[in-house]
Amino acid sequence: MTDVLDAEHRTGQIRIHDAAGFEGMRVAGKLAAECLDLLTPHVVPGAVTEKLDDMAREFILDHGAIPACLFYRGYGKTTCISPNHIVCHGIPGERVLREGDIVNIDVTVIVDGWHGDTSRMYGVGEIAPRAKRLIDVTYESIQRGLDQVKPGNRTGDIGYAIQQYVESMRCSVVRDFCGHGLGKVFHDAPNILHFGQKGTGEVLQPGMFFTIEPMVNLGKHSVKLLSDGWTAVTRDKSLSAQCEHSIGVTETGYEIFTGSPAGLFKPPVQGA
C-alpha cells in the first residue's frame, strides 16, 4: 500500500509543513527510535537477523503503527539490516551475527500517515579499532551535516560539510544513495546528497522535512548492487557504516524527530 500512496502523492515539489506536521513527525520519529532502542540489547553474537526483524515488526504493530518498508516496492521485511561491507538495504534472513561484526539497522514507521525514518550502527561484541573509528567518523559526519541546517543555507552545504570531514579522515562518502524529503510521503523532494559543493542546491526553509543519512566506507566509495535487487555492498569489500535522522528545519536551525529516548542513537561499542 505504501508504494501506491508514494506514487500518488509524490509531486517533485518541496513541501513546507506547519506545526501540525511537526507534531506528527515527532510522534512517528519517536516510535522509530524506540524500535531501534528495543533492539539494542539483542544485537549480540549469535543473533539471527530475521529474528531482529520479527521483533521490530511486532513492536511497530503492537503500537498501532505501520512498518513502512514491509511490501514497499516488493520489499518483504520490516527493517534493513546491513552488516560489515553491506552499505545499505541488507535483507534480514538466516544470517547469524558474529563477534566483531558492525551492523546498521534501518527502520521506518508510519503513524497517522507520518513517516519516521532512522538508522544507527551497532557493534556486535568487541569490534576492531578500525571498525570503531569508522563508526565514530560516520557519527561525526552526520553532526557536521546537521550543523549546516538552518534557513538560508542550501542542501549543498550539508553535503559539502559531510564530504570534507569524511575525506579528511581518510574515508569515503557513498555517492549512490542520498537523504530525502519525507512526511506523509516516504521518499519526497528534496534529495540530500552527502557530498558536493557549498552554496549549491535547494535553499533551506522552515517547515522542510528530510533525512540526513551519510554512508561512509573505510575504502573507496564505489558500491555494487547484488542480484536480489536490494542489497548494496562496497566494491572493494571494505567496511561501511551509516546513521540517519529525520529532521525538520525550524526558524533558527533544525529539530531532530528521531532522537533516541534512551540515549542510544550511538550505541556504546566495545573496542578491541
Side-chain angles (χ1 to χ4, degrees), residues 17-19 21-34 114-118 182-183 207-211 245-250 254-261:
H17 300 85
D18 59 13
F22 273 83
E23 184 54 34
M25 289 296 287
R26 289 181 192 119
V27 175
K30 180 182 178 185
L31 186 66
E34 288 175 336
W114 296 100
H115 290 73
D117 186 3
T118 185
L182 83 169
M208 291 172 63
F209 296 164
F210 51 82
T211 69
H245 271 317
S246 298
I247 71 168
V249 182
T250 67
Y254 62 90
E255 178 179 344
I256 295 174
F257 299 127
T258 47
S260 164

Side-chain angles (χ1 to χ4, degrees), residues 13 27 50 57 68 152 157 163 191 214 227 253-255 257 259-260:
Q13 300 298 313
V27 175
E50 189 166 45
R57 182 171 60 258
D157 298 331
Q163 181 183 12
N191 288 335
S227 60
Y254 62 90
E255 178 179 344
F257 299 127
S260 164

Side-chain angles (χ1 to χ4, degrees), residues 233-248:
V233 300
T234 56
R235 283 190 174 273
D236 59 9
K237 298 185 179 179
S238 63
L239 290 177
S240 186
Q242 181 192 14
C243 54
E244 174 184 13
H245 271 317
S246 298
I247 71 168

Side-chain angles (χ1 to χ4, degrees), residues 28-268:
K30 180 182 178 185
L31 186 66
E34 288 175 336
C35 181
L36 295 185
D37 287 351
L38 169 78
L39 296 180
T40 299
H42 302 281
V43 183
V44 295
V48 179
T49 57
E50 189 166 45
K51 298 299 183 184
L52 296 173
D53 188 74
D54 290 343
M55 291 177 61
R57 182 171 60 258
E58 290 170 9
F59 174 84
I60 294 167
L61 295 174
D62 285 349
H63 284 78
I66 298 171
C69 291
L70 190 60
F71 307 126
Y72 180 79
R73 298 181 179 175
Y75 190 75
K77 302 294 181 179
T78 294
T79 63
C80 296
I81 301 182
S82 305
N84 299 330
H85 74 292
I86 297 178
V87 175
C88 62
H89 303 157
I91 303 173
E94 297 180 357
R95 179 166 183 159
V96 176
L97 298 180
R98 299 180 178 179
E99 181 88 15
D101 284 346
I102 60 171
V103 59
N104 177 271
I105 303 182
D106 190 335
V107 66
T108 306
V109 306
I110 307 173
V111 182
D112 295 329
W114 296 100
H115 290 73
D117 186 3
T118 185
S119 82
R120 65 179 74 155
M121 294 301 297
Y122 300 81
V124 183
E126 190 171 278
I127 66 174
R130 66 192 182 99
K132 183 178 185 302
R133 180 179 180 275
L134 173 65
I135 292 173
D136 289 342
V137 169
T138 303
Y139 275 79
E140 177 62 23
S141 78
I142 195 174
Q143 187 58 55
R144 299 287 180 111
L146 287 166
D147 290 344
Q148 297 301 313
V149 179
K150 58 184 177 182
N153 275 10
R154 292 179 176 267
T155 54
D157 298 331
I158 299 170
Y160 178 82
I162 291 171
Q163 181 183 12
Q164 291 301 302
Y165 171 71
V166 168
E167 292 180 355
S168 77
M169 300 303 290
R170 302 184 304 282
C171 296
S172 62
V173 178
V174 172
R175 269 69 159 172
D176 300 68
F177 302 95
C178 62
H180 53 88
L182 83 169
K184 288 203 167 182
V185 177
F186 193 170
H187 296 98
D188 207 357
N191 288 335
I192 305 296
L193 303 182
H194 304 114
F195 62 97
Q197 296 298 318
K198 58 184 176 180
T200 64
E202 302 288 348
V203 176
L204 302 181
Q205 304 174 58
M208 291 172 63
F209 296 164
F210 51 82
T211 69
I212 301 178
E213 47 185 296
M215 303 171 198
V216 179
N217 297 345
L218 266 183
K220 297 180 179 180
H221 66 75
S222 298
V223 305
K224 65 178 179 180
L225 193 65
L226 299 187
S227 60
D228 59 29
W230 287 100
T231 307
V233 300
T234 56
R235 283 190 174 273
D236 59 9
K237 298 185 179 179
S238 63
L239 290 177
S240 186
Q242 181 192 14
C243 54
E244 174 184 13
H245 271 317
S246 298
I247 71 168
V249 182
T250 67
E251 295 290 340
T252 57
Y254 62 90
E255 178 179 344
I256 295 174
F257 299 127
T258 47
S260 164
L264 295 173
F265 177 62
K266 185 180 180 182

